[in-house]
Amino acid sequence: MSSREDILQNIRRNTQKRYEKPDLSSLVQKAVKYEDKIGQFCSVMERVGGKAVLLHEGEDVNEVIRKLYPEARRIASSVRVLKRGNESQQLNCYTFHPDEVAASAELDGTDLGIVSGKVGVCENGAVWLEQEMEERGIYFIAEALIILLDKTCLVNNMHEAYPLIDTGEYGFGVFVSGPSKTADIEQALVMGAHGPREVTVILY
């Protein structure tokens, strides 16, 4: 049992009074919805400092990635095959898999990380990343991050997103919305302060 589960078990044992979860169905029904999910998601991604690219029929994802980041030399990817309906494309533009390194420190100096997104939220441009590899540091240490996301996995809002998220066998997941940013210093917005400097979502 993990330390997280130990803490939760202790809380459950020492909880004297329990309350039923509130019924939020009325809030869910009133939550924002969009007719054009793809357009909304792309617009919000741009506003939060990221970029969204729609992969068109017949386009090679490898060529699209090379055009977006022609200078990238050290490219890590946890995705080997991109499945699009009944078709699939081999992802061969990467140079290594994150779990092939001997130690996490070797991920330092990664120009580009390519990972798979599970759910995209049109309301805020957030994408849920479920840990699919041991070295989850690639989400944060790469200079730029590409998230491959099935466009049918776009939802309107966080109310719709939460029932769909999972942490997988590693027990870790995270919402990413554009590159890391901070405005703590002199109220000046700085991108890429403590994570990827650029985040691009490729919708396929």
mmCIF file of all heavy atoms in Angstrom, residues 124-157:
data_model
loop_
_atom_site.group_PDB
_atom_site.id
_atom_site.type_symbol
_atom_site.label_atom_id
_atom_site.label_comp_id
_atom_site.label_asym_id
_atom_site.label_seq_id
_atom_site.Cartn_x
_atom_site.Cartn_y
_atom_site.Cartn_z
ATOM 1 N N ASN A 124 -11.108 25.507 -20.795
ATOM 2 C CA ASN A 124 -9.868 26.111 -20.312
ATOM 3 C C ASN A 124 -8.612 25.627 -21.040
ATOM 4 O O ASN A 124 -7.498 26.004 -20.663
ATOM 5 C CB ASN A 124 -9.709 25.866 -18.808
ATOM 6 C CG ASN A 124 -9.801 24.392 -18.455
ATOM 7 O OD1 ASN A 124 -9.669 23.521 -19.304
ATOM 8 N ND2 ASN A 124 -10.025 24.102 -17.183
ATOM 9 N N GLY A 125 -8.765 24.797 -22.050
ATOM 10 C CA GLY A 125 -7.610 24.325 -22.801
ATOM 11 C C GLY A 125 -6.762 23.300 -22.081
ATOM 12 O O GLY A 125 -5.649 22.994 -22.506
ATOM 13 N N ALA A 126 -7.278 22.743 -20.987
ATOM 14 C CA ALA A 126 -6.515 21.753 -20.228
ATOM 15 C C ALA A 126 -6.610 20.376 -20.878
ATOM 16 O O ALA A 126 -7.647 20.006 -21.419
ATOM 17 C CB ALA A 126 -7.021 21.683 -18.782
ATOM 18 N N VAL A 127 -5.518 19.631 -20.801
ATOM 19 C CA VAL A 127 -5.485 18.255 -21.322
ATOM 20 C C VAL A 127 -5.042 17.334 -20.192
ATOM 21 O O VAL A 127 -4.053 17.606 -19.502
ATOM 22 C CB VAL A 127 -4.516 18.122 -22.514
ATOM 23 C CG1 VAL A 127 -4.505 16.689 -23.032
ATOM 24 C CG2 VAL A 127 -4.898 19.083 -23.631
ATOM 25 N N TRP A 128 -5.781 16.262 -19.995
ATOM 26 C CA TRP A 128 -5.432 15.292 -18.960
ATOM 27 C C TRP A 128 -4.390 14.325 -19.493
ATOM 28 O O TRP A 128 -4.578 13.682 -20.518
ATOM 29 C CB TRP A 128 -6.660 14.520 -18.502
ATOM 30 C CG TRP A 128 -6.353 13.459 -17.479
ATOM 31 C CD1 TRP A 128 -6.304 12.118 -17.684
ATOM 32 C CD2 TRP A 128 -6.043 13.660 -16.093
ATOM 33 N NE1 TRP A 128 -5.983 11.453 -16.521
ATOM 34 C CE2 TRP A 128 -5.815 12.374 -15.531
ATOM 35 C CE3 TRP A 128 -5.933 14.789 -15.278
ATOM 36 C CZ2 TRP A 128 -5.499 12.202 -14.184
ATOM 37 C CZ3 TRP A 128 -5.608 14.612 -13.942
ATOM 38 C CH2 TRP A 128 -5.400 13.333 -13.408
ATOM 39 N N LEU A 129 -3.255 14.251 -18.782
ATOM 40 C CA LEU A 129 -2.187 13.312 -19.115
ATOM 41 C C LEU A 129 -2.163 12.222 -18.066
ATOM 42 O O LEU A 129 -1.979 12.494 -16.883
ATOM 43 C CB LEU A 129 -0.828 14.027 -19.146
ATOM 44 C CG LEU A 129 -0.695 15.233 -20.074
ATOM 45 C CD1 LEU A 129 0.713 15.807 -19.978
ATOM 46 C CD2 LEU A 129 -1.028 14.868 -21.502
ATOM 47 N N GLU A 130 -2.375 10.993 -18.503
ATOM 48 C CA GLU A 130 -2.312 9.835 -17.605
ATOM 49 C C GLU A 130 -0.938 9.217 -17.732
ATOM 50 O O GLU A 130 -0.485 8.938 -18.841
ATOM 51 C CB GLU A 130 -3.395 8.835 -17.995
ATOM 52 C CG GLU A 130 -3.365 7.542 -17.222
ATOM 53 C CD GLU A 130 -4.320 6.519 -17.808
ATOM 54 O OE1 GLU A 130 -5.425 6.916 -18.228
ATOM 55 O OE2 GLU A 130 -3.952 5.332 -17.864
ATOM 56 N N GLN A 131 -0.262 9.027 -16.611
ATOM 57 C CA GLN A 131 1.097 8.495 -16.669
ATOM 58 C C GLN A 131 1.106 7.117 -17.309
ATOM 59 O O GLN A 131 0.507 6.165 -16.795
ATOM 60 C CB GLN A 131 1.700 8.411 -15.269
ATOM 61 C CG GLN A 131 3.160 7.990 -15.281
ATOM 62 C CD GLN A 131 3.763 7.901 -13.892
ATOM 63 O OE1 GLN A 131 3.111 8.234 -12.911
ATOM 64 N NE2 GLN A 131 5.004 7.451 -13.803
ATOM 65 N N GLU A 132 1.815 7.006 -18.442
ATOM 66 C CA GLU A 132 1.879 5.751 -19.175
ATOM 67 C C GLU A 132 3.282 5.158 -19.177
ATOM 68 O O GLU A 132 3.531 4.154 -19.836
ATOM 69 C CB GLU A 132 1.424 5.969 -20.622
ATOM 70 C CG GLU A 132 -0.002 6.436 -20.746
ATOM 71 C CD GLU A 132 -0.414 6.675 -22.178
ATOM 72 O OE1 GLU A 132 0.387 7.221 -22.955
ATOM 73 O OE2 GLU A 132 -1.543 6.309 -22.527
ATOM 74 N N MET A 133 4.191 5.818 -18.473
ATOM 75 C CA MET A 133 5.579 5.350 -18.438
ATOM 76 C C MET A 133 6.136 5.635 -17.059
ATOM 77 O O MET A 133 5.580 6.413 -16.291
ATOM 78 C CB MET A 133 6.393 6.073 -19.512
ATOM 79 C CG MET A 133 6.415 7.566 -19.326
ATOM 80 S SD MET A 133 6.559 8.486 -20.848
ATOM 81 C CE MET A 133 5.677 9.987 -20.401
ATOM 82 N N GLU A 134 7.229 5.005 -16.746
ATOM 83 C CA GLU A 134 7.812 5.194 -15.418
ATOM 84 C C GLU A 134 8.347 6.608 -15.237
ATOM 85 O O GLU A 134 8.171 7.227 -14.194
ATOM 86 C CB GLU A 134 8.925 4.165 -15.201
ATOM 87 C CG GLU A 134 9.505 4.197 -13.803
ATOM 88 C CD GLU A 134 10.526 3.103 -13.581
ATOM 89 O OE1 GLU A 134 10.671 2.234 -14.471
ATOM 90 O OE2 GLU A 134 11.174 3.107 -12.530
ATOM 91 N N GLU A 135 9.005 7.145 -16.273
ATOM 92 C CA GLU A 135 9.651 8.457 -16.167
ATOM 93 C C GLU A 135 8.669 9.596 -16.491
ATOM 94 O O GLU A 135 8.667 10.163 -17.569
ATOM 95 C CB GLU A 135 10.870 8.524 -17.095
ATOM 96 C CG GLU A 135 11.984 7.561 -16.743
ATOM 97 C CD GLU A 135 12.647 7.891 -15.406
ATOM 98 O OE1 GLU A 135 12.385 8.979 -14.848
ATOM 99 O OE2 GLU A 135 13.415 7.048 -14.918
ATOM 100 N N ARG A 136 7.841 9.931 -15.515
ATOM 101 C CA ARG A 136 6.855 10.987 -15.740
ATOM 102 C C ARG A 136 7.491 12.375 -15.798
ATOM 103 O O ARG A 136 6.840 13.343 -16.181
ATOM 104 C CB ARG A 136 5.791 10.962 -14.652
ATOM 105 C CG ARG A 136 6.294 11.318 -13.259
ATOM 106 C CD ARG A 136 5.210 11.120 -12.247
ATOM 107 N NE ARG A 136 5.635 11.488 -10.908
ATOM 108 C CZ ARG A 136 5.061 11.047 -9.791
ATOM 109 N NH1 ARG A 136 4.043 10.205 -9.877
ATOM 110 N NH2 ARG A 136 5.488 11.432 -8.607
ATOM 111 N N GLY A 137 8.736 12.471 -15.437
ATOM 112 C CA GLY A 137 9.429 13.758 -15.487
ATOM 113 C C GLY A 137 9.469 14.362 -16.880
ATOM 114 O O GLY A 137 9.646 15.577 -17.024
ATOM 115 N N ILE A 138 9.257 13.534 -17.909
ATOM 116 C CA ILE A 138 9.307 14.049 -19.281
ATOM 117 C C ILE A 138 8.217 15.083 -19.514
ATOM 118 O O ILE A 138 8.348 15.972 -20.358
ATOM 119 C CB ILE A 138 9.197 12.893 -20.301
ATOM 120 C CG1 ILE A 138 9.641 13.345 -21.689
ATOM 121 C CG2 ILE A 138 7.800 12.330 -20.339
ATOM 122 C CD1 ILE A 138 11.078 13.771 -21.772
ATOM 123 N N TYR A 139 7.110 15.004 -18.749
ATOM 124 C CA TYR A 139 6.045 15.993 -18.897
ATOM 125 C C TYR A 139 6.512 17.395 -18.542
ATOM 126 O O TYR A 139 5.952 18.387 -19.004
ATOM 127 C CB TYR A 139 4.859 15.654 -17.983
ATOM 128 C CG TYR A 139 4.195 14.333 -18.250
ATOM 129 C CD1 TYR A 139 3.833 13.503 -17.190
ATOM 130 C CD2 TYR A 139 3.917 13.906 -19.539
ATOM 131 C CE1 TYR A 139 3.202 12.281 -17.415
ATOM 132 C CE2 TYR A 139 3.297 12.687 -19.781
ATOM 133 C CZ TYR A 139 2.944 11.882 -18.701
ATOM 134 O OH TYR A 139 2.332 10.675 -18.937
ATOM 135 N N PHE A 140 7.524 17.481 -17.694
ATOM 136 C CA PHE A 140 7.911 18.768 -17.133
ATOM 137 C C PHE A 140 9.313 19.230 -17.511
ATOM 138 O O PHE A 140 9.609 20.418 -17.456
ATOM 139 C CB PHE A 140 7.807 18.708 -15.595
ATOM 140 C CG PHE A 140 6.520 18.098 -15.120
ATOM 141 C CD1 PHE A 140 6.489 16.806 -14.612
ATOM 142 C CD2 PHE A 140 5.330 18.797 -15.210
ATOM 143 C CE1 PHE A 140 5.301 16.232 -14.185
ATOM 144 C CE2 PHE A 140 4.136 18.231 -14.784
ATOM 145 C CZ PHE A 140 4.118 16.948 -14.268
ATOM 146 N N ILE A 141 10.186 18.297 -17.883
ATOM 147 C CA ILE A 141 11.583 18.664 -18.092
ATOM 148 C C ILE A 141 11.923 18.982 -19.541
ATOM 149 O O ILE A 141 12.909 19.671 -19.820
ATOM 150 C CB ILE A 141 12.524 17.544 -17.564
ATOM 151 C CG1 ILE A 141 13.917 18.101 -17.289
ATOM 152 C CG2 ILE A 141 12.568 16.367 -18.543
ATOM 153 C CD1 ILE A 141 14.827 17.150 -16.529
ATOM 154 N N ALA A 142 11.111 18.522 -20.479
ATOM 155 C CA ALA A 142 11.383 18.800 -21.897
ATOM 156 C C ALA A 142 11.237 20.293 -22.184
ATOM 157 O O ALA A 142 10.378 20.972 -21.607
ATOM 158 C CB ALA A 142 10.429 18.001 -22.781
ATOM 159 N N GLU A 143 12.051 20.804 -23.072
ATOM 160 C CA GLU A 143 11.963 22.221 -23.442
ATOM 161 C C GLU A 143 10.620 22.527 -24.106
ATOM 162 O O GLU A 143 10.049 23.603 -23.919
ATOM 163 C CB GLU A 143 13.098 22.585 -24.406
ATOM 164 C CG GLU A 143 14.464 22.649 -23.765
ATOM 165 C CD GLU A 143 14.581 23.813 -22.792
ATOM 166 O OE1 GLU A 143 14.217 24.946 -23.168
ATOM 167 O OE2 GLU A 143 15.027 23.576 -21.656
ATOM 168 N N ALA A 144 10.113 21.593 -24.891
ATOM 169 C CA ALA A 144 8.812 21.732 -25.539
ATOM 170 C C ALA A 144 8.076 20.411 -25.419
ATOM 171 O O ALA A 144 8.687 19.340 -25.383
ATOM 172 C CB ALA A 144 8.959 22.135 -27.008
ATOM 173 N N LEU A 145 6.746 20.502 -25.357
ATOM 174 C CA LEU A 145 5.937 19.304 -25.179
ATOM 175 C C LEU A 145 4.863 19.253 -26.267
ATOM 176 O O LEU A 145 4.167 20.248 -26.514
ATOM 177 C CB LEU A 145 5.264 19.325 -23.802
ATOM 178 C CG LEU A 145 4.519 18.059 -23.361
ATOM 179 C CD1 LEU A 145 5.506 16.915 -23.123
ATOM 180 C CD2 LEU A 145 3.714 18.336 -22.092
ATOM 181 N N ILE A 146 4.764 18.104 -26.923
ATOM 182 C CA ILE A 146 3.678 17.867 -27.874
ATOM 183 C C ILE A 146 2.740 16.838 -27.256
ATOM 184 O O ILE A 146 3.173 15.781 -26.798
ATOM 185 C CB ILE A 146 4.197 17.356 -29.228
ATOM 186 C CG1 ILE A 146 4.755 18.527 -30.045
ATOM 187 C CG2 ILE A 146 3.089 16.664 -30.017
ATOM 188 C CD1 ILE A 146 5.217 18.157 -31.437
ATOM 189 N N ILE A 147 1.449 17.173 -27.235
ATOM 190 C CA ILE A 147 0.434 16.268 -26.723
ATOM 191 C C ILE A 147 -0.432 15.806 -27.895
ATOM 192 O O ILE A 147 -1.018 16.630 -28.596
ATOM 193 C CB ILE A 147 -0.450 16.952 -25.664
ATOM 194 C CG1 ILE A 147 0.407 17.487 -24.513
ATOM 195 C CG2 ILE A 147 -1.504 15.974 -25.143
ATOM 196 C CD1 ILE A 147 -0.364 18.332 -23.512
ATOM 197 N N LEU A 148 -0.468 14.524 -28.129
ATOM 198 C CA LEU A 148 -1.309 13.946 -29.188
ATOM 199 C C LEU A 148 -2.668 13.616 -28.584
ATOM 200 O O LEU A 148 -2.756 12.839 -27.622
ATOM 201 C CB LEU A 148 -0.660 12.691 -29.755
ATOM 202 C CG LEU A 148 0.742 12.888 -30.356
ATOM 203 C CD1 LEU A 148 1.339 11.540 -30.748
ATOM 204 C CD2 LEU A 148 0.713 13.824 -31.542
ATOM 205 N N LEU A 149 -3.724 14.214 -29.134
ATOM 206 C CA LEU A 149 -5.050 14.062 -28.541
ATOM 207 C C LEU A 149 -6.094 13.765 -29.615
ATOM 208 O O LEU A 149 -6.197 14.495 -30.609
ATOM 209 C CB LEU A 149 -5.440 15.337 -27.787
ATOM 210 C CG LEU A 149 -6.816 15.371 -27.143
ATOM 211 C CD1 LEU A 149 -6.914 14.354 -26.014
ATOM 212 C CD2 LEU A 149 -7.131 16.767 -26.608
ATOM 213 N N ASP A 150 -6.849 12.716 -29.408
ATOM 214 C CA ASP A 150 -7.958 12.366 -30.303
ATOM 215 C C ASP A 150 -9.024 13.452 -30.186
ATOM 216 O O ASP A 150 -9.509 13.730 -29.081
ATOM 217 C CB ASP A 150 -8.524 11.007 -29.885
ATOM 218 C CG ASP A 150 -9.568 10.468 -30.865
ATOM 219 O OD1 ASP A 150 -10.216 11.285 -31.556
ATOM 220 O OD2 ASP A 150 -9.748 9.248 -30.914
ATOM 221 N N LYS A 151 -9.404 14.062 -31.300
ATOM 222 C CA LYS A 151 -10.352 15.182 -31.257
ATOM 223 C C LYS A 151 -11.731 14.757 -30.761
ATOM 224 O O LYS A 151 -12.524 15.605 -30.337
ATOM 225 C CB LYS A 151 -10.466 15.862 -32.626
ATOM 226 C CG LYS A 151 -10.928 14.993 -33.773
ATOM 227 C CD LYS A 151 -11.014 15.810 -35.058
ATOM 228 C CE LYS A 151 -11.464 14.970 -36.255
ATOM 229 N NZ LYS A 151 -10.395 14.051 -36.684
ATOM 230 N N THR A 152 -12.030 13.456 -30.803
ATOM 231 C CA THR A 152 -13.304 12.985 -30.265
ATOM 232 C C THR A 152 -13.294 12.944 -28.739
ATOM 233 O O THR A 152 -14.328 12.701 -28.106
ATOM 234 C CB THR A 152 -13.655 11.585 -30.798
ATOM 235 O OG1 THR A 152 -12.676 10.641 -30.346
ATOM 236 C CG2 THR A 152 -13.710 11.584 -32.325
ATOM 237 N N CYS A 153 -12.129 13.189 -28.141
ATOM 238 C CA CYS A 153 -11.999 13.178 -26.680
ATOM 239 C C CYS A 153 -12.069 14.588 -26.094
ATOM 240 O O CYS A 153 -11.656 14.810 -24.947
ATOM 241 C CB CYS A 153 -10.690 12.511 -26.267
ATOM 242 S SG CYS A 153 -10.630 10.750 -26.665
ATOM 243 N N LEU A 154 -12.547 15.551 -26.872
ATOM 244 C CA LEU A 154 -12.760 16.903 -26.363
ATOM 245 C C LEU A 154 -14.099 16.971 -25.638
ATOM 246 O O LEU A 154 -15.116 16.492 -26.153
ATOM 247 C CB LEU A 154 -12.750 17.927 -27.511
ATOM 248 C CG LEU A 154 -11.415 18.173 -28.211
ATOM 249 C CD1 LEU A 154 -11.622 19.120 -29.396
ATOM 250 C CD2 LEU A 154 -10.383 18.751 -27.248
ATOM 251 N N VAL A 155 -14.102 17.559 -24.458
ATOM 252 C CA VAL A 155 -15.342 17.762 -23.703
ATOM 253 C C VAL A 155 -15.517 19.252 -23.445
ATOM 254 O O VAL A 155 -14.571 20.036 -23.553
ATOM 255 C CB VAL A 155 -15.333 16.984 -22.374
ATOM 256 C CG1 VAL A 155 -15.250 15.485 -22.632
ATOM 257 C CG2 VAL A 155 -14.183 17.427 -21.477
ATOM 258 N N ASN A 156 -16.733 19.640 -23.108
ATOM 259 C CA ASN A 156 -17.033 21.060 -22.946
ATOM 260 C C ASN A 156 -16.373 21.685 -21.732
ATOM 261 O O ASN A 156 -15.821 22.781 -21.811
ATOM 262 C CB ASN A 156 -18.556 21.262 -22.841
ATOM 263 C CG ASN A 156 -19.269 20.985 -24.142
ATOM 264 O OD1 ASN A 156 -19.107 21.702 -25.113
ATOM 265 N ND2 ASN A 156 -20.055 19.917 -24.168
ATOM 266 N N ASN A 157 -16.447 20.999 -20.592
ATOM 267 C CA ASN A 157 -16.056 21.630 -19.330
ATOM 268 C C ASN A 157 -15.477 20.607 -18.351
ATOM 269 O O ASN A 157 -15.462 19.408 -18.633
ATOM 270 C CB ASN A 157 -17.267 22.336 -18.708
ATOM 271 C CG ASN A 157 -18.485 21.420 -18.665
ATOM 272 O OD1 ASN A 157 -18.472 20.389 -18.004
ATOM 273 N ND2 ASN A 157 -19.525 21.760 -19.426
#
